[in-house]
Amino acid sequence: MIPVEWVCRRVATGSFLKRNPGVEEGLLLGYRFSPLKMEMFFKDDANNDPQWSEEQLLEAKLCLAGLTIGQCEVDIMSRSTVAIFEMVEKAWATQNCSLVDMKIEFGVSVKSREIVLADVIDNDSWRLWPAGDRSQQTDKQVYRELKEVTPEAMQMVKRSFEWVSERVKLLLEPQASSRVVLLMGSISDVAHCEKIRKACASYRIPCVLRVTSAHKGPDETLRIKAEYEGDGIPTVFVAVAGRSNGLGPVMSGNTAYPVISCPPLTPDWGPQDVWSSLRMPSGLGCSTVLSPEACAQFAAQILGLRDHLVWCKLRASMLNTWVSLKLADKKLQACSL
C-alpha cells in the first residue's frame, strides 16, 4: 500500500473550509470546483495525516514492491483519481444525489509492479448530498456530527446507511436502453458491419443489422427508419454503403436521429467513393467516420449522454489509453538512459 490518501473534491466543504477561510460552503451558492480539486494526505496517525504537496511526495522517494514512486506514478494516481471520481459522480447523479468529495488509496502490485486502485469505496469514502442538499447528507458525516450518541440518533444513522445501501444497487442499472442500427447497402458489407458491432459490444451497446438500399428501394429504407423511430428507444443510425453512398444522406435528410456514415472503402475506388459521404447537400448533418472502431466510439459518445454506464465505459477507456501512453514513455526514457 502507498501511504497516501488522495482526496478529490467537487464542492468546498469539510476540512477544506477550515484550511481556506473565506470560501463559501455549499453546492448551490458555495464554491464548486471545475476542474476537480485534488489533494493528498500522508497517512501518519501520530501527526493527524498531514497534507502533502506533490513535491513532498516526490521527494519522499517511497519505494514499494520494488517500484519507486516518481513523477510517472504520481501522474497516474492523480489522473486515475479524477477519472474514478467522475465515473462515481456520474452514477450517483442518476439517483439525484451529488457526490461532493471522495478519498481513495492506491498500491503497487507485487507481481507486475503497477499502480493499482487498492481501496474499498464505501460510505466512509465519500460525502453524498441527495438533491444537492447538505441537510440530507447520508454519509459518515451523519454520525460524526451527532451531538449525542443516543438510540434515536443511531437509528437515524442506520436509516442513512440503509438508504445508501439500497441506492448503490441501482448504480449499475442502465437508466435508458439504447441501440445502434446498422444499415448496410448490400449483404456484402456485413463483414464491415460486424467490426462495428464488435466495437459497440465493448461499450455494451446492442446493435441491429439491416440490409436496405436507398438507391434501389428508398421506400423500404424509410419504412425501416420509421420502425426504429416509433418505439422511443435512443438510437444512432449507421449507414454502411460502398461505391455511391446514398444511404447516409437519405437517412440524414429524413430523420432527426443522429446518422453516421461508415463506408467500406476499397483500395481501387476508395478515394473517389468517399466524396459521396463527405459532400452533403445543405441541411444534412450526416457525419462520416471511416474506422469501424471509431464509428462505434462516436455512437457511444452520443448514447453516453443519456446512459451513464456507456459514458463510464468511454471514460475508463480514455484513462487506460492515457496510462498506457504514460508507461510507454517511461519505458522509452529508461531505455534511452
Side-chain angles (χ1 to χ4, degrees):
M1 291 298 297
I2 301 171
V4 174
E5 190 174 82
W6 292 79
V7 177
C8 199
R9 302 182 185 276
R10 177 64 78 188
V11 176
T13 188
S15 65
F16 181 87
L17 298 179
K18 296 178 181 178
R19 289 180 279 108
N20 297 273
V23 179
E24 291 288 333
E25 180 187 45
L27 198 70
L28 299 179
L29 301 177
Y31 199 93
R32 179 181 175 86
F33 298 110
S34 294
L36 293 162
K37 183 71 173 179
M38 287 288 304
E39 296 178 318
M40 64 185 84
F41 298 85
F42 180 63
K43 294 180 70 65
D44 181 359
D45 292 339
N47 293 295
N48 298 314
D49 295 349
Q51 184 177 5
W52 268 19
S53 65
E54 181 177 304
E55 291 76 15
Q56 284 175 294
L57 178 54
L58 290 171
E59 284 300 307
K61 295 181 172 59
L62 299 173
C63 186
L64 304 105
L67 177 68
T68 299
I69 305 303
Q71 189 66 62
C72 177
E73 290 70 33
V74 171
D75 290 346
I76 288 174
M77 287 187 284
S78 177
R79 184 66 69 103
S80 298
T81 300
V82 169
I84 292 165
F85 182 98
E86 289 177 345
M87 286 185 276
V88 177
E89 179 184 43
K90 201 79 168 179
W92 273 114
T94 65
Q95 303 303 311
N96 190 29
C97 187
S98 298
L99 180 63
V100 174
D101 54 38
M102 187 176 74
K103 62 182 179 67
I104 58 175
E105 297 176 36
F106 294 90
V108 178
S109 169
V110 175
K111 291 184 179 180
S112 64
R113 291 187 181 180
E114 292 178 325
I115 298 290
V116 293
L117 175 65
D119 205 349
V120 175
I121 301 176
D122 58 15
N123 216 31
D124 187 49
S125 305
W126 52 37
R127 281 186 175 89
L128 296 174
W129 293 358
D133 185 354
R134 189 186 189 286
S135 66
Q136 299 183 46
Q137 62 186 356
T138 59
D139 50 79
K140 61 187 178 184
Q141 292 300 123
V142 177
Y143 178 78
R144 285 182 173 179
E145 296 177 6
L146 290 178
K147 295 180 179 179
E148 184 180 1
V149 179
T150 64
E152 293 77 14
M154 292 306 296
Q155 281 299 314
M156 180 185 69
V157 174
K158 181 182 178 183
R159 286 194 298 271
S160 295
F161 274 62
E162 287 175 341
W163 184 90
V164 173
S165 178
E166 290 301 316
R167 294 304 187 281
V168 163
K169 298 173 185 177
L170 304 176
L171 299 186
L172 293 179
E173 294 184 3
Q175 294 300 296
S177 58
S178 58
R179 69 187 167 208
V180 168
V181 176
L182 293 167
L183 304 174
M184 65 189 90
S186 167
I187 194 63
S188 62
D189 299 325
V190 69
H192 194 76
C193 289
E194 286 295 345
K195 293 178 182 178
I196 300 174
R197 175 154 67 177
K198 181 180 178 180
C200 283
S202 67
Y203 303 109
R204 296 186 180 179
I205 300 174
C207 285
V208 180
L209 273 62
R210 302 293 298 266
V211 179
T212 182
S213 171
H215 286 121
K216 304 171 184 176
D219 54 337
E220 178 64 9
T221 298
L222 296 180
R223 189 199 66 77
I224 292 174
K225 170 195 70 71
E227 179 182 335
Y228 295 103
E229 288 178 320
D231 56 13
I233 297 176
T235 300
V236 173
F237 290 104
V238 175
V240 177
R243 297 188 180 182
S244 178
N245 175 22
L247 196 52
V250 167
M251 287 292 297
S252 181
N254 288 276
T255 183
Y257 283 51
V259 178
I260 306 170
S261 284
C262 187
L265 301 179
T266 58
D268 47 0
W269 287 98
Q272 290 76 27
D273 292 343
V274 72
W275 287 107
S276 62
S277 298
L278 297 177
R279 292 277 291 172
M280 294 289 105
S282 61
L284 300 189
C286 184
S287 302
T288 297
V289 182
L290 300 184
S291 162
E293 293 76 18
C295 175
Q297 181 178 343
F298 186 30
Q301 289 170 331
I302 295 171
L303 298 174
L305 295 174
R306 292 190 51 162
D307 188 332
H308 71 288
L309 296 181
V310 173
W311 188 92
C312 288
K313 284 280 188 181
L314 287 163
R315 188 66 182 88
S317 177
M318 287 173 54
L319 174 64
N320 290 335
T321 299
W322 187 90
V323 170
S324 66
L325 290 171
K326 192 75 175 178
L327 293 175
D329 181 60
K330 180 186 176 182
K331 184 177 181 180
L332 181 61
Q333 290 183 67
C335 293
S336 299
L337 294 175

